[in-house]
Amino acid sequence: MSLNRDQIAMRVAQELQDGYYVNLGIGIPTLVANYVPNDIDVMLQSENGLLGIGPYPTEDQVDADMINAGKETVTAAVGASIFSSAESFAMIRGGHVDLTVLGAFEVDQNGNIASYMIPGKLVKGMGGAMDLVAGAENIIVTMTHADKHGNSKLLNHCNLPLTGVNCVKRIVTDLAVLDIKEGAFHLLERAPGVSVEEIQQKTAGQLILPQNGQVPEISV
Amino acid sequence: MSLNRDQIAMRVAQELQDGYYVNLGIGIPTLVANYVPNDIDVMLQSENGLLGIGPYPTEDQVDADMINAGKETVTAAVGASIFSSAESFAMIRGGHVDLTVLGAFEVDQNGNIASYMIPGKLVKGMGGAMDLVAGAENIIVTMTHADKHGNSKLLNHCNLPLTGVNCVKRIVTDLAVLDIKEGAFHLLERAPGVSVEEIQQKTAGQLILPQNGQVPEISV
Amino acid sequence: MRGFNKVVSSYQEAMAGLSDNMTIIAGGFGLCGIPEGLIKEIENIGAKGLTVVSNNCGIDNFGLGILLKDKQIKKMVSSYVGENAEFERQYLSGELEVELTPQGTLAEKMRAGGAGIPAFYTATGVGTPVAEGKEVKQFNGRDYILEESVTGDFAIVKAWKADKIGNLIYRDTAMNFNPMAATAGKVTVAEVEEIVEVGELDPNHIHTPGIYVNRIIQGSFEKRIEKITLAKN
Amino acid sequence: MRGFNKVVSSYQEAMAGLSDNMTIIAGGFGLCGIPEGLIKEIENIGAKGLTVVSNNCGIDNFGLGILLKDKQIKKMVSSYVGENAEFERQYLSGELEVELTPQGTLAEKMRAGGAGIPAFYTATGVGTPVAEGKEVKQFNGRDYILEESVTGDFAIVKAWKADKIGNLIYRDTAMNFNPMAATAGKVTVAEVEEIVEVGELDPNHIHTPGIYVNRIIQGSFEKRIEKITLAKN
């Protein structure tokens, strides 16, 4: 069975470490916040100028002046700090955020990512994504392994305009967990019940299996 | 009679306008603050991070955390703001300060200024002077017209290492007020009782007199 | 402090001098922290051919979106321009020029503009469409692109509190792009929720020193929210 | 928030990992806002061959001057290095390398270092000895020089208050270079006057967000004043 959106988020949450500053993109990445292990603390950065995103507000707490980068109303966590967009991206560009999780349309075996633009459709803009992928040491991409027509999103070369080059190091899809290094996707884990053959078939880029041939199942 | 230090400061103070943000260098420029006309207000910027320098403190008010760029204890004026050195020089470099007054060793007829270094003697450093002269639209230099050996400090070309190029527009010396434009010093005013001949003799760079030959006396 | 009293009493005074083909730098992120009244005044003035530098372009009937509707904007410099059907129509038809700029680069371009820095290098956008036509230079073995700063004929910002000499304090994430925008205008106009006497703001808490601000106007704000999201019980 | 508790209980812990030939970025302006105890700990450790990036170099027997006395510093990057006889002696004798840097350029180099900007253009220093060997480029008809950013193995800063997760607040002009320095260290250590509980600081008043700070130590400060100047009665 492929993972659902929440299960992908759960698997990503296993990558969190105590004391991490984390930026979560819109969509599946946002769900990661719901699965932070109980024994660790992370602080969530919102690129519009908030370090320490708290829970969504109650109706009484709703405040137009307190939103996240997805323009949703939020609260500030205890210990939060608030700052300008320039300061926020100084943090991001300067590599101070420990982990960035974001979605993508395509990723290729060189760690290139395309996530902001589908020519011919409306271009909504990259927002902070280009800064995030250029600034982070540690980037995890979440997406479905293939599109709804079954076409792989893990490619030799991205076809769409790039958001960043040589930056993605790990991918968590509905089918697998993979690392990107030395110009190839390295299969680390597979979704429960999903065969290595299916992953191979849905990975257009070069896929390298573990030397011992054993691919453990994702545990979520 | 040549002007004394306080009189030079008084003459510079006549250049102030209501609502000006002003940076005053160490020495004679600092004295300008004592002669702000009663009918105007100016705010003094200190490049270590204070906009709105107040009076020197009483003994009770002395606070090691409140100093000016000359490392003297000061107070904050009503309406002051305090900020980082980066913000302070964003103001300065960005041209937001209306007037900068500073001393110099030499100025030349192209508006170049040498003020921070005498080779062979100890180099103490330029501090904020290079940023101030590069950032200001409006720079007044105060200095004695000649050194103690009678050598002019208003030159064809500065001999000492430069602090900035093509930046000085007005000079107030102990002998005269001069503008610099089109590659020459233009004599505007002379100190009471000082002859145009003395000023000519003590100005090594090209000196241009008013077309009508009349040089009014400085009134302080 | 007569010379420092920057408070104006009408929106006409606040935006006096605005004319066709000018560049306006605007604070705000989505609809959060936008100078609502100043934008409406630009609509009233009816200036055309404007270049607007702002992270977003409002929505169809609110914020900067109202200037799109009136076709007052020639060019937008923004990082994200979704949520706006009229924008989409004008962009696809070629009526509107759009310079998509990464959000952090946009913030830094405004800051650099105000700080007298004409250009800076960043890794953001290297190898992407953003890098097209830009100088590339290596530092410590990594490629960076050269980005130039922006300044405007006007900067329009929204703050929480101002004193009469233009010191500004923002509130929560309504700060966003406002502090940088405030530094980058030849004329900077701040629309604020409250104007206080000089001396009431703590010098250590001021976000935008008054030196950057030319005019202040007391606004009244609708503060529309794009996505109200609530805690689950 | 175990993972975020950055408070250490000894100066040894605060500066653990410092070794010969490292680069240290230090906050402070003159003797104002300097991390007195951290500097003394560097003296105790005795690391040699240090490059120190700081606006000033203290005085003979206080602040960074004590590291000069012990000949721990190989190179100073500063804008102003007066008030220090030992400095003069070492500099004139060639024992000490000095990179004089305009004050605003120095502040911006630290900020850029922390912000992932490897270099920026400035008009400061054009046509002066500071421009030697640097790339010159015209923007809008004016010459600017390219200045590269700085980062350090350690950044040492002094703040007024910290919460336990490293959010910092500075007091008055003791802020100076500290906020930029704090962003530019691989390891940033803050020596503070008071450590408060998480949640006690207003999120809108924090000068340095905790993300930049790795270690916090409660200091005790002499706060020596260079020039006591008093109002005339």
Side-chain angles (χ1 to χ4, degrees):
Chain A
M1 280 290 291
S2 60
L3 304 184
N4 63 27
R5 289 162 54 89
D6 280 284
Q7 288 170 319
I8 292 175
M10 285 178 209
R11 178 59 189 83
V12 171
Q14 295 172 13
E15 305 284 318
L16 300 174
Q17 294 184 21
D18 196 24
Y20 259 22
Y21 296 97
V22 181
N23 185 293
L24 301 177
I26 293 168
I28 295 173
T30 300
L31 300 176
V32 173
N34 299 333
Y35 302 106
V36 178
N38 285 327
D39 58 342
I40 70 167
D41 287 308
V42 300
M43 285 194 90
L44 302 178
Q45 204 260 12
S46 187
E47 59 261 36
N48 56 320
L50 171 62
L51 181 65
I53 306 175
Y56 289 127
T58 61
E59 256 181 88
D60 288 351
Q61 291 174 321
V62 167
D63 184 337
D65 290 343
M66 187 61 89
I67 64 170
N68 66 15
K71 292 156 193 163
E72 300 172 328
T73 48
V74 293
T75 60
V78 175
S81 53
I82 292 166
F83 35 80
S84 73
S85 301
E87 181 63 52
S88 182
F89 283 93
M91 268 172 213
I92 289 169
R93 198 190 305 104
H96 303 278
V97 174
D98 295 301
L99 175 64
T100 289
V101 185
L102 78 170
F105 300 138
E106 298 174 346
V107 171
D108 73 26
Q109 64 199 29
N110 292 307
N112 298 327
I113 173 174
S115 67
Y116 85 103
M117 182 187 195
I118 301 181
K121 296 196 183 185
L122 178 64
V123 180
K124 296 200 174 186
M126 67 291 286
M130 283 194 183
D131 306 279
L132 282 160
V133 299
E137 286 292 309
N138 197 358
I139 300 173
I140 298 177
V141 165
T142 62
M143 59 181 190
T144 56
H145 212 96
D147 69 17
K148 55 188 172 184
H149 307 293
N151 300 312
S152 176
K153 297 180 177 179
L154 282 65
L155 307 176
N156 291 98
H157 297 286
C158 289
N159 297 312
L160 295 171
L162 296 181
T163 307
V165 295
N166 297 321
C167 53
V168 179
K169 301 213 172 102
R170 180 160 288 191
I171 311 174
V172 179
T173 75
D174 53 338
L175 303 184
V177 179
L178 310 96
D179 274 358
I180 299 177
K181 54 185 178 187
E182 295 153 8
F185 297 102
H186 294 253
L187 183 59
L188 300 180
E189 299 172 24
R190 58 195 168 90
V194 169
S195 69
V196 170
E197 290 67 33
E198 180 180 351
I199 294 166
Q200 285 177 307
Q201 183 234 320
K202 290 189 174 163
T203 304
Q206 194 185 349
L207 182 70
I208 296 184
L209 304 182
Q211 289 206 330
N212 64 6
Q214 298 300 307
V215 182
E217 289 191 351
I218 294 168
S219 157
V220 289
Chain B
M1 280 290 290
S2 60
L3 304 184
N4 63 27
R5 289 162 55 90
D6 279 285
Q7 289 170 318
I8 293 174
M10 286 179 208
R11 177 59 190 81
V12 171
Q14 295 172 14
E15 306 283 318
L16 300 173
Q17 294 183 23
D18 196 25
Y20 258 22
Y21 295 96
V22 181
N23 185 292
L24 301 176
I26 293 168
I28 295 174
T30 299
L31 300 176
V32 173
N34 300 332
Y35 302 106
V36 178
N38 284 327
D39 57 343
I40 70 168
D41 287 309
V42 300
M43 285 194 90
L44 302 178
Q45 204 259 12
S46 188
E47 59 261 37
N48 56 321
L50 172 62
L51 181 65
I53 306 175
Y56 289 127
T58 62
E59 258 182 84
D60 287 352
Q61 291 174 320
V62 166
D63 184 337
D65 289 345
M66 186 61 90
I67 65 170
N68 66 16
K71 290 155 195 164
E72 299 171 328
T73 47
V74 293
T75 59
V78 174
S81 53
I82 292 166
F83 35 79
S84 73
S85 300
E87 181 63 51
S88 182
F89 283 94
M91 269 173 212
I92 290 169
R93 198 189 306 103
H96 303 280
V97 174
D98 295 301
L99 175 65
T100 288
V101 185
L102 79 169
F105 300 138
E106 298 173 347
V107 172
D108 72 27
Q109 64 199 30
N110 292 308
N112 298 327
I113 174 173
S115 68
Y116 85 103
M117 183 186 195
I118 301 181
K121 296 195 182 186
L122 178 64
V123 180
K124 295 198 174 188
M126 68 291 286
M130 282 193 183
D131 305 281
L132 282 160
V133 300
E137 286 292 309
N138 196 359
I139 300 172
I140 297 178
V141 165
T142 63
M143 60 181 187
T144 56
H145 212 95
D147 69 18
K148 57 187 171 185
H149 306 294
N151 299 313
S152 177
K153 297 181 178 179
L154 282 67
L155 307 175
N156 291 98
H157 296 287
C158 289
N159 298 312
L160 295 170
L162 296 180
T163 307
V165 295
N166 297 320
C167 54
V168 179
K169 300 210 173 105
R170 180 159 288 189
I171 310 175
V172 178
T173 76
D174 52 339
L175 304 184
V177 180
L178 310 97
D179 274 359
I180 300 177
K181 54 185 177 188
E182 295 154 7
F185 297 102
H186 293 253
L187 183 59
L188 301 180
E189 299 171 25
R190 59 196 168 89
V194 170
S195 69
V196 170
E197 291 66 31
E198 181 181 348
I199 294 166
Q200 285 178 307
Q201 183 234 318
K202 289 188 174 164
T203 304
Q206 193 185 352
L207 182 70
I208 295 184
L209 304 182
Q211 289 206 329
N212 65 6
Q214 298 300 306
V215 182
E217 289 192 349
I218 294 169
S219 158
V220 290
Chain C
M1 296 211 178
R2 293 162 301 288
F4 289 98
N5 187 346
K6 297 170 181 178
V7 179
V8 299
S9 53
S10 72
Y11 282 103
Q12 287 94 317
E13 273 184 87
M15 293 306 294
L18 180 73
S19 60
D20 290 355
N21 304 311
M22 280 188 166
T23 295
I24 298 171
I25 317 272
F29 181 91
L31 302 182
C32 181
I34 61 172
E36 300 179 14
L38 298 177
I39 294 168
K40 285 181 197 150
E41 177 60 21
I42 296 171
E43 185 187 28
N44 290 341
I45 293 172
K48 305 275 185 194
L50 300 175
T51 296
V52 177
V53 183
S54 169
N55 189 57
N56 312 90
C57 194
I59 59 174
D60 273 337
N61 58 358
F62 197 71
L64 290 168
I66 63 175
L67 305 182
L68 280 174
K69 193 186 58 190
D70 295 349
K71 300 188 188 171
Q72 294 181 251
I73 301 179
K74 180 181 69 182
K75 179 179 174 181
M76 281 301 304
V77 180
S78 302
S79 88
Y80 189 83
V81 290
E83 346 294 0
N84 197 315
E86 177 63 15
F87 186 99
E88 181 171 353
R89 196 196 62 70
Q90 290 188 21
Y91 178 56
L92 293 177
S93 72
E95 290 168 59
L96 180 69
E97 193 182 336
V98 179
E99 186 176 319
L100 284 177
T101 304
Q103 195 172 140
T105 296
L106 184 61
E108 194 66 16
K109 281 162 81 91
M110 289 184 192
R111 179 188 177 274
I117 292 170
F120 57 90
Y121 284 96
T122 176
T124 300
V126 167
T128 78
V130 164
E132 278 167 27
K134 289 175 187 161
E135 194 181 315
V136 178
K137 194 176 172 83
Q138 278 210 347
F139 297 91
N140 298 316
R142 187 173 184 192
D143 283 344
Y144 295 83
I145 57 174
L146 185 65
E147 292 280 3
E148 296 195 16
S149 62
V150 295
T151 55
D153 299 294
F154 276 81
I156 57 172
V157 303
K158 189 268 169 182
W160 182 39
K161 290 186 184 182
D163 65 18
K164 293 181 175 177
I165 64 175
N167 291 309
L168 304 182
I169 290 180
Y170 307 97
R171 181 171 173 276
D172 294 346
T173 62
M175 173 185 279
N176 58 61
F177 279 83
N178 285 296
M180 289 76 68
T183 69
K186 284 199 196 85
V187 176
T188 291
V189 189
E191 186 179 11
V192 307
E193 294 187 47
E194 185 184 354
I195 298 173
V196 303
E197 289 302 320
V198 178
E200 284 189 43
L201 303 179
D202 182 334
N204 284 295
H205 293 165
I206 287 165
H207 294 126
T208 293
I211 194 170
Y212 293 114
V213 178
N214 301 95
R215 304 173 191 167
I216 305 156
I217 185 160
Q218 167 81 57
S220 64
F221 297 88
E222 175 184 338
K223 290 200 189 181
R224 201 179 292 188
I225 297 175
E226 281 184 79
K227 296 178 193 168
I228 296 182
T229 40
L230 297 174
K232 288 171 192 157
N233 290 346
Chain D
M1 293 210 180
R2 293 161 302 287
F4 290 99
N5 187 345
K6 297 170 181 178
V7 178
V8 299
S9 53
S10 72
Y11 283 103
Q12 289 93 316
E13 272 184 89
M15 293 305 295
L18 180 72
S19 61
D20 291 354
N21 304 311
M22 280 188 166
T23 296
I24 299 170
I25 316 273
F29 181 90
L31 302 183
C32 181
I34 61 173
E36 300 179 13
L38 297 176
I39 295 169
K40 285 180 197 152
E41 178 59 20
I42 296 171
E43 185 187 30
N44 290 340
I45 292 171
K48 305 276 185 194
L50 300 174
T51 295
V52 177
V53 183
S54 169
N55 190 57
N56 312 90
C57 193
I59 58 173
D60 274 336
N61 58 359
F62 198 71
L64 291 168
I66 64 176
L67 305 182
L68 279 174
K69 193 185 60 191
D70 295 350
K71 301 187 187 170
Q72 294 180 252
I73 302 178
K74 181 182 67 181
K75 179 178 175 181
M76 282 298 306
V77 180
S78 301
S79 87
Y80 189 82
V81 290
E83 348 293 2
N84 197 315
E86 176 64 15
F87 186 99
E88 180 171 353
R89 196 196 62 69
Q90 290 188 22
Y91 178 56
L92 293 176
S93 71
E95 289 167 60
L96 180 68
E97 192 181 339
V98 179
E99 186 175 319
L100 283 177
T101 304
Q103 196 172 139
T105 298
L106 184 62
E108 194 66 17
K109 281 162 81 90
M110 289 184 192
R111 179 188 178 275
I117 292 171
F120 57 90
Y121 284 96
T122 177
T124 300
V126 168
T128 78
V130 164
E132 278 167 25
K134 289 175 186 160
E135 191 182 317
V136 178
K137 194 175 172 82
Q138 279 210 346
F139 296 92
N140 297 316
R142 187 175 183 191
D143 284 345
Y144 294 83
I145 56 175
L146 186 65
E147 292 280 3
E148 295 195 16
S149 63
V150 295
T151 56
D153 299 294
F154 275 81
I156 56 172
V157 303
K158 189 267 169 182
W160 182 38
K161 290 187 183 181
D163 65 18
K164 292 180 175 176
I165 64 175
N167 291 309
L168 304 182
I169 290 179
Y170 308 97
R171 182 171 172 276
D172 293 346
T173 62
M175 175 186 277
N176 57 62
F177 280 82
N178 284 298
M180 289 76 70
T183 69
K186 284 199 197 87
V187 177
T188 291
V189 190
E191 187 179 11
V192 306
E193 295 186 48
E194 185 183 354
I195 298 173
V196 302
E197 290 302 320
V198 177
E200 286 189 41
L201 303 180
D202 181 335
N204 284 294
H205 294 165
I206 287 164
H207 295 125
T208 293
I211 195 170
Y212 293 115
V213 177
N214 301 95
R215 304 173 190 166
I216 305 156
I217 186 161
Q218 167 81 58
S220 63
F221 297 89
E222 177 184 335
K223 290 201 189 181
R224 202 179 292 188
I225 297 175
E226 281 184 80
K227 296 178 193 168
I228 297 182
T229 40
L230 297 175
K232 287 169 193 159
N233 287 346

